[in-house]
Amino acid sequence: MSTVRTALHWINGKWVDSAQHGESVNPATGEVVGRYADAGRHEAEEAVRAATAAFRESRWADDMEFRTNVLLEIAASFQRHERDLADLTTLENGKTIGEAEFEVSFAKGNFTTAAALAQTTYGRVMEVEPGKHTMVVREPVGVAAVITPWNSPTALLARDLAPALAAGCTAVVKLPGQTPLLNEAISRVFADVPSLPTGVVNIITESGSEAAKWLVDSPDVPVIMFTGSTPTGRAIGASAAKHVKRVGLELGGKTPHIVFDDADLDLALAVIEKSLTIFTGQFCITASRLIVQRGVYETVKQRLAERLANVTVGPGSDRSVDMGALIDKASVARVDRLVEEAIAGGAVPVVRGGPVRDGDLANGAFYRPTLLEVTDSSLPIVQQEVFGPVQTIQVFDTEAEAVALANDSEFGLGASVWSNDVNRPLRVARKVQAGMLWINDWGQLPNQFEIGGYKQSGVGHANGPGGIDHFLEYKTITQKFA
């Protein structure tokens, strides 16, 4: 064990150890691949002190041109480190290497877009009446806490941190204990930008919640960005309300595909398959519900079943596999339990994948794709986020019925509409209660446009011009001239 290196926190421009340590496990093999410093309240306090000092004492909050140039340097640093970030993502997260490369490639774009947004933090001024001028200036809120989950640490950190920095905030980033070697590599991206003032970005790794809870409760952290489960998001919102904090929440999802009779099935089925298996179904917009019009229902069910049955699972480092491992064996057991309960409740297995318990993959956290036919939308498998490669399929007859089925969920993150009718897709998209809609596609998340959820899928937006507003205060100043 002494030969396994320990990943450290990045606080105030220094590598920092902790009294507590944890182990990093490769989910494809079950092997320990590293140790890490495990943060608690002490590390969170250190990081907030560093971020507060940087906000008050450095030029970061006040110098827009400086921030723009540094953000571009951060983008370039992410690009230089992409190979290492991708390899560590596959090692600790279980993604296929292609998916890992895809994920980490987003970071550069997030920071180049943020550099442009940093140039838009200006306000406005007008003479409201003779001799009296009113101006609005936009100022950074202060220290931002960014709490990021294990399913896509690089992409989600970049998505939430980049606009905070563009606004002029400093930050404390809490990354998950499942990916500590990757977390340290992400920290090296920022350490490799010498023009970034010390303390502007601080990154800690935590397996539990003590540090995160302190960040949420600290009066010195006025803004929170959290990505994770809806129950945790509710708890964060309730705790942060004590200090009337700004809280951005990107929470759970239960994305449906709505497939009409006139859809291009060759196009649709290829995308529907990947929308379930990419990131092993551990994705907030995983399309876990399939709603199909009766005229093509049997065809879609049969052809999709064939595709899912032929998905190859294996270590993500093998470029020939289609799907990697879940994050750990506990997740495999949890997903399989949900499937068994669904079958007992009336769901009919079309493809029963399930855990891999034999052969070379038995030590890993592998779960083959599963497709369940359902007629009862109230089943937990239809209503709850599974966070694994499990999809339900159900039939509809009319457009109104399709919309009703799609909206029969507490979630409202994303949805896809498949039809070659010139009018129907947009009409349906306007009626579906979700923050992101795709027509004859799925999963497109351009940096230039806002993303977010309806209902229990979140509060606030990331990306686009609206993404920076969460981190800015509006200050109105009126001056009367003599």
Side-chain angles (χ1 to χ4, degrees):
M1 181 63 67
S2 60
T3 61
V4 179
R5 70 183 183 86
T6 300
L8 303 177
H9 313 294
W10 177 248
I11 301 174
N12 205 25
K14 299 177 182 178
W15 298 107
V16 176
D17 204 345
S18 292
Q20 302 297 319
H21 295 88
E23 293 182 338
S24 172
V25 176
N26 180 348
T29 64
E31 297 175 337
V32 174
V33 293
R35 299 178 73 246
Y36 66 95
D38 197 353
R41 174 169 175 166
H42 173 72
E43 290 78 11
E45 288 178 336
E46 281 192 33
V48 169
R49 280 195 293 269
T52 301
F55 184 77
R56 292 174 178 171
E57 300 167 11
S58 78
R59 60 193 292 197
W60 187 257
D62 300 319
D63 194 330
M64 176 183 68
E65 287 293 333
F66 174 65
R67 290 200 305 274
T68 298
N69 291 329
V70 175
L71 288 164
L72 291 173
E73 292 176 19
I74 294 172
S77 186
F78 265 106
Q79 187 173 32
R80 289 194 302 273
H81 287 264
E82 280 182 355
R83 179 73 271 145
D84 191 34
L85 295 175
D87 290 341
L88 288 170
T89 298
T90 294
L91 178 69
E92 292 188 306
N93 180 278
K95 285 185 174 73
T96 66
I97 190 62
E99 292 172 354
E101 291 166 346
F102 174 69
E103 180 199 332
V104 302
S105 70
F106 274 91
K108 176 187 175 183
N110 284 124
F111 281 94
T112 55
T113 301
L117 288 174
Q119 297 284 320
T120 69
T121 56
Y122 48 79
R124 65 186 188 274
V125 62
M126 68 178 294
E127 187 176 29
V128 293
E129 59 182 75
K132 187 180 293 184
H133 286 186
T134 297
M135 71 175 71
V136 167
V137 295
R138 299 200 292 171
E139 300 177 343
V141 175
V143 177
V146 176
I147 303 173
T148 302
W150 50 260
N151 59 318
S152 293
T154 304
L156 295 176
L157 170 144
R159 183 198 67 185
D160 291 345
L161 176 60
L165 297 181
C169 290
T170 57
V172 177
V173 181
K174 185 266 191 186
L175 288 175
Q178 291 90 338
T179 58
L181 304 183
L182 172 62
N183 302 349
E184 187 183 73
I186 293 171
S187 300
R188 285 197 295 271
V189 170
F190 295 95
D192 198 26
V193 181
S195 59
L196 178 67
T198 299
V200 167
V201 176
N202 305 273
I203 299 176
I204 62 176
T205 294
E206 183 184 33
S207 64
S209 60
E210 182 184 349
K213 287 179 178 177
W214 190 85
L215 291 173
V216 171
D217 197 49
S218 170
D220 296 321
V221 182
V223 58
I224 308 290
M225 281 297 293
F226 169 78
T227 302
S229 72
T230 295
T232 303
R234 292 184 186 123
I236 286 174
S239 180
K242 292 182 296 185
H243 298 288
V244 198
K245 293 190 179 189
R246 296 183 177 205
V247 180
L249 303 172
E250 202 260 74
L251 306 176
K254 199 68 181 171
T255 297
H257 285 290
I258 304 172
V259 183
F260 286 93
D261 286 344
D262 61 348
D264 181 339
L265 296 186
D266 291 333
L267 173 63
L269 285 165
V271 175
I272 290 169
E273 175 197 331
K274 293 306 293 183
S275 72
L276 177 66
T277 62
I278 191 170
F279 302 168
T280 327
Q282 300 170 126
F283 195 12
C284 58
I285 57 170
T286 291
S288 55
R289 291 190 293 157
L290 183 55
I291 302 168
V292 185
Q293 198 162 22
R294 193 173 299 277
V296 293
Y297 181 79
E298 291 299 330
T299 300
V300 169
K301 183 172 71 171
Q302 178 185 346
R303 290 181 60 182
L304 180 60
E306 292 171 355
R307 297 184 72 102
L308 294 178
N310 289 319
V311 169
T312 60
V313 301
S317 56
D318 182 351
R319 289 189 180 271
S320 69
V321 305
D322 300 313
M323 193 173 76
L326 272 69
I327 191 64
D328 53 35
K329 284 201 167 188
S331 293
V332 171
R334 177 187 55 78
V335 171
D336 200 50
R337 182 175 64 254
L338 291 173
V339 170
E340 291 293 343
E341 291 172 353
I343 293 171
V348 177
V350 180
V351 177
R352 180 65 172 98
V356 178
R357 296 192 172 99
D358 301 313
D360 295 339
L361 304 182
N363 290 329
F366 294 99
Y367 195 95
R368 292 191 174 94
T370 293
L371 180 64
L372 301 174
E373 186 173 31
V374 297
T375 57
D376 182 1
S377 293
S378 68
L379 286 175
I381 200 71
V382 182
Q383 294 296 325
Q384 297 176 7
E385 189 173 34
V386 174
F387 232 57
V390 179
Q391 193 170 61
T392 61
I393 182 170
Q394 58 193 129
V395 68
F396 73 88
D397 289 299
T398 67
E399 182 179 308
E401 184 183 2
V403 171
L405 287 171
N407 288 338
D408 184 16
S409 173
E410 71 173 355
F411 299 111
L413 194 56
S416 288
V417 181
W418 295 88
S419 171
N420 281 328
D421 185 285
V422 69
N423 295 312
R424 175 188 286 148
L426 186 57
R427 183 173 65 237
V428 171
R430 292 298 301 272
K431 294 178 181 177
V432 173
Q433 297 165 352
M436 295 174 282
L437 273 293
W438 303 283
I439 294 174
N440 295 326
D441 207 345
W442 167 85
Q444 301 303 307
L445 304 170
N447 292 329
Q448 298 84 357
F449 289 86
E450 290 78 3
I451 60 173
Y454 282 27
K455 300 190 282 189
Q456 297 297 306
S457 285
V459 176
H461 294 85
N463 289 356
I468 198 172
D469 281 344
H470 187 65
F471 304 99
L472 290 168
E473 289 281 14
Y474 283 65
K475 178 181 286 184
T476 302
I477 303 171
T478 299
Q479 180 176 6
K480 184 177 181 180
F481 295 94

